[in-house]
């Protein structure tokens, strides 16, 4: 019975990772195709989006580089989402030791991104 629970957790986590990678690859390919067809990034000169807000703005305006950057952001967020899903799965399993460990990892990931943004 315990092996079935572990297998179910592993399957859930692997599905989340697969979905994230496929989604980000699809978005990147769409942006790359747009760039190859138009030959333009959608931005003037050597300016490119440097914040999440600018990237999403470029996505909404169908700028090829903004779309590519959105795909890259999705790829970066996928493992973080996986850790969040793991916390939920472990809570449902009532495995509180792993909830604490995974929550600690989640906090460290969020803090590292926040510190990288500041620094």
């Amino acid at each position: 019975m315990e092996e079935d629970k572990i297998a179910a957790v592993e399957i859930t986590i692997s599905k989340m990772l697969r979905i994230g990678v496929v989604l980000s690859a699809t978005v990147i390919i769409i942006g790359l195709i747009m760039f190859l067809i138009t030959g333009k990034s959608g931005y003037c000169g050597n300016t490119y989006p440097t914040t999440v807000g600018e990237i999403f703005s470029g996505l909404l305006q169908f700028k090829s580089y903004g779309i590519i950057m959105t795909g890259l952001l999705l790829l970066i967020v996928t493992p973080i989402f996986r850790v969040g899903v793991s916390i939920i799965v472990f809570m449902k399993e009532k495995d509180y030791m792993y909830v604490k460990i995974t929550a600690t990892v989640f906090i460290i990931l969020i803090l590292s991104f926040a510190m990288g943004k500041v620094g």
Side-chain angles (χ1 to χ4, degrees), residues 18-84:
R18 210 172 296 131
I19 289 168
V21 170
V22 169
L23 181 63
S24 69
T26 303
V27 172
I28 290 170
I29 289 169
I30 290 169
L32 184 60
I33 290 170
M34 285 180 62
F35 178 73
L36 292 173
I37 290 172
T38 64
K40 297 178 183 176
S41 68
Y43 295 92
C44 297
N46 290 330
T47 59
Y48 298 100
T50 56
T51 64
V52 175
E54 290 174 351
I55 291 170
F56 285 129
S57 175
L59 172 69
L60 295 175
Q61 297 172 13
F62 296 106
K63 295 181 177 182
S64 59
Y65 196 76
I67 294 171
I68 293 170
M69 292 294 291
T70 301
L72 291 174
L73 277 178
L74 287 171
L75 189 61
I76 291 169
V77 171
T78 297
I80 298 169
F81 182 68
R82 176 228 189 264
V83 174

Side-chain angles (χ1 to χ4, degrees), residues 86-98:
S86 297
I87 293 171
I88 294 167
V89 169
F90 290 135
M91 287 176 107
K92 287 182 179 181
E93 298 284 329
K94 296 183 174 146
D95 196 345
Y96 298 113
M97 181 179 75
Y98 283 110

